[in-house]
Amino acid sequence: MRSLQRAAVAVLLCALTVLGVSAPAAARPDTLILISIDGFRADYLGRGETPTLSRLAREGVTAPMRPAFPSLTFPNHYTLVTGLWPDHNGIVDNVMVDPVLGRFTMKDSLDPRWWGEADPLWVTADEQGLRTATMFWPGSDREIDGHRPDYYRAYDQSVTGDARVDQVLAWLDLPPGQRPTFLTLYFDIVDTMGHRGGPDSPALNAALRSTDASIARLVDGLAARGALDHTNIIIVADHGMASVSPDRVVYLDDGISPGAVRLITSGTSAGVVIDPNAPAGTQAALLAPRPHAHCWEKAHVPPELHYGSNLRIPPIVCLADVGWMLTTHELVAQGRGVRENGAHGYSPAAPEMAAIFIAHGPAFRAGIALPAFDNVDVQPLMAKLLGLTVAKGDGTAATFTPALTP
């Protein structure tokens, strides 16, 4: 199907060329920089710690954005650049088991087949003649469908926020024929401090100030180059953050024989496999109602979660109430209990999971506050800004019609 879609795009581009219109050169789109601040909850913007972000929001467009389920880092970053729910883009969790490929973790994802169920926007842009650069983004340092960004850096958490900004500016200093038009930029310290100290901690507020200063460095750098008026900036997060505690834990193996269930994932949500030799009634016990958590067979996951058909999703999916965590007695005995003060992965409808969205630049009207929307809408918006033809996905750019300049 994807090869047919690409072939159709190629035919369209050839037709434009025959008519004397070169799609990449006819009207070079404004530069687009997609910035992710991992773990930046939507209401952090009101804390007074981020003057640069607040100014960009006042001068542009802002809204709370619903993440995809599960509200975790890898699934949502891939959703943002593919316009597909994790169930459809194949990155269904930070940890997965594939019938063919085996086990996937965030540190072990080099095999391009993990990423091959959907094309991220940098692949589409490359196929249609735009140069791309990624200063960190999940999947961006892997070969996907035969493509990599023109410029990219393999993820290294030790690289400072300012150094990440300087790399983006250096790419924008390249000669016009080499300069990228679509770039990504990723910051992780807000998420890190949200986990360690919790969403209301002084460490989290310090991380907000640090990231805001790095974004100010980017904005000032664009202005100094005379590029700010020709650059669209979209700032997003993959999810929010909620306070958690070792006192709020649900043991999924309560009332179940030891070893009868195996957790592929644990935490705010869990993917569960039942041992083939488990006693009769194990599944019924797991699915039975319990305080602060819900478990479903994957085919019966609530439809609003858009989750449950992909082969990489375990047979049983469990979800904790906000502020609670899921585990087993076996995992706790192994020293793998709750050791953080903040977590995410909960229902996208939870206010604590709402992510930041800010859009600023020549494509956007000033002072627009949109209602909450789903993050699958971001990829079709970016494709529209870049003049790219993309296959129909799960989102729509129409969400942003009231916010776009004529």
Side-chain angles (χ1 to χ4, degrees):
M1 177 63 73
R2 287 167 59 202
S3 61
L4 291 175
Q5 292 165 344
R6 287 195 297 272
V9 170
V11 169
L12 174 60
L13 295 176
C14 288
L16 291 171
T17 301
V18 169
L19 293 172
V21 178
S22 173
R28 177 185 173 92
D30 288 322
T31 300
L32 173 60
I33 304 176
L34 173 65
I35 302 173
S36 169
I37 309 175
D38 198 317
F40 196 115
R41 202 169 74 188
D43 64 358
Y44 289 169
L45 194 61
R47 292 193 174 182
E49 305 285 0
T50 53
T52 303
L53 289 171
S54 295
R55 177 171 64 84
L56 293 174
R58 288 193 306 271
E59 295 176 355
V61 180
T62 189
M65 184 172 66
R66 285 184 295 269
F69 180 80
S71 49
L72 300 171
T73 296
F74 267 46
N76 277 277
H77 277 94
Y78 214 50
T79 288
L80 284 161
V81 294
T82 63
L84 297 170
W85 302 114
D87 203 31
H88 299 158
N89 69 41
I91 307 300
V92 301
D93 208 297
N94 287 344
V95 177
M96 303 179 283
V97 173
D98 183 278
V100 174
L101 302 177
R103 185 177 176 84
F104 170 104
T105 70
M106 292 189 290
K107 295 181 179 179
D108 183 25
S109 56
L110 291 173
D111 192 322
R113 290 178 295 174
W114 283 108
W115 306 90
E117 292 189 22
D119 283 345
L121 197 62
W122 58 81
V123 169
T124 305
D126 185 58
E127 291 177 335
Q128 297 181 35
L130 295 182
R131 287 190 173 271
T132 60
T134 54
M135 186 59 212
F136 304 158
W137 199 274
S140 66
D141 56 348
R142 313 296 189 243
E143 183 178 288
I144 299 174
D145 202 23
H147 296 265
R148 293 179 187 266
D150 293 287
Y151 313 101
Y152 66 93
R153 293 276 298 272
Y155 180 62
D156 179 354
Q157 191 175 23
S158 69
V159 178
T160 65
D162 284 355
R164 300 178 194 199
V165 167
D166 290 347
Q167 176 63 84
V168 167
L169 292 172
W171 283 328
L172 292 174
D173 285 336
L174 291 169
Q178 302 173 32
R179 187 182 307 147
T181 299
F182 173 55
L183 306 92
T184 72
L185 174 59
Y186 171 78
F187 299 100
D188 49 59
I189 191 172
V190 170
D191 180 72
T192 299
M193 293 305 153
H195 281 294
R196 290 181 186 174
D200 300 309
S201 65
L204 184 281
N205 288 338
L208 295 177
R209 293 192 295 271
S210 172
T211 303
D212 190 77
S214 292
I215 292 176
R217 185 183 185 93
L218 174 67
V219 172
D220 291 344
L222 292 170
R225 289 161 173 78
L228 186 59
D229 291 341
H230 305 285
T231 301
N232 290 306
I233 300 172
I234 295 177
I235 301 168
V236 297
D238 45 355
H239 50 70
M241 188 70 68
S243 296
V244 295
S245 164
D247 298 327
R248 297 192 297 271
V249 174
V250 176
Y251 292 92
L252 292 175
D253 56 349
D254 273 349
I256 293 175
S257 297
V261 297
R262 177 168 60 94
L263 269 58
I264 304 298
T265 57
S266 62
T268 54
S269 61
V272 186
V273 175
I274 297 176
D275 188 275
N277 300 315
T282 296
Q283 178 164 307
L286 185 61
L287 297 176
R290 68 182 74 212
H292 308 299
H294 302 271
C295 294
W296 308 278
E297 293 179 83
K298 63 184 290 185
H300 299 140
V301 171
E304 62 268 20
L305 297 182
H306 305 281
Y307 199 73
S309 67
N310 198 286
L311 289 175
R312 296 172 180 173
I313 298 173
I316 305 293
V317 176
C318 299
L319 176 62
D321 290 347
V322 174
W324 288 77
M325 301 287 278
L326 307 176
T327 189
T328 62
H329 293 284
E330 180 181 5
L331 290 176
V332 171
Q334 296 171 1
R336 296 163 62 187
V338 179
R339 288 182 277 180
E340 297 179 330
N341 292 306
H344 50 86
Y346 298 109
S347 167
E352 296 89 344
M353 293 301 101
I356 190 176
F357 175 87
I358 297 171
H360 181 282
F364 298 100
R365 297 171 58 196
I368 301 297
L370 293 174
F373 65 91
D374 295 316
N375 67 355
V376 289
D377 295 340
V378 173
Q379 184 258 12
L381 167 65
M382 295 190 296
K384 179 181 178 71
L385 297 179
L386 293 170
L388 299 175
T389 301
V390 293
K392 180 174 174 54
D394 293 321
T396 174
T399 296
F400 305 99
T401 300
L404 298 176
T405 55

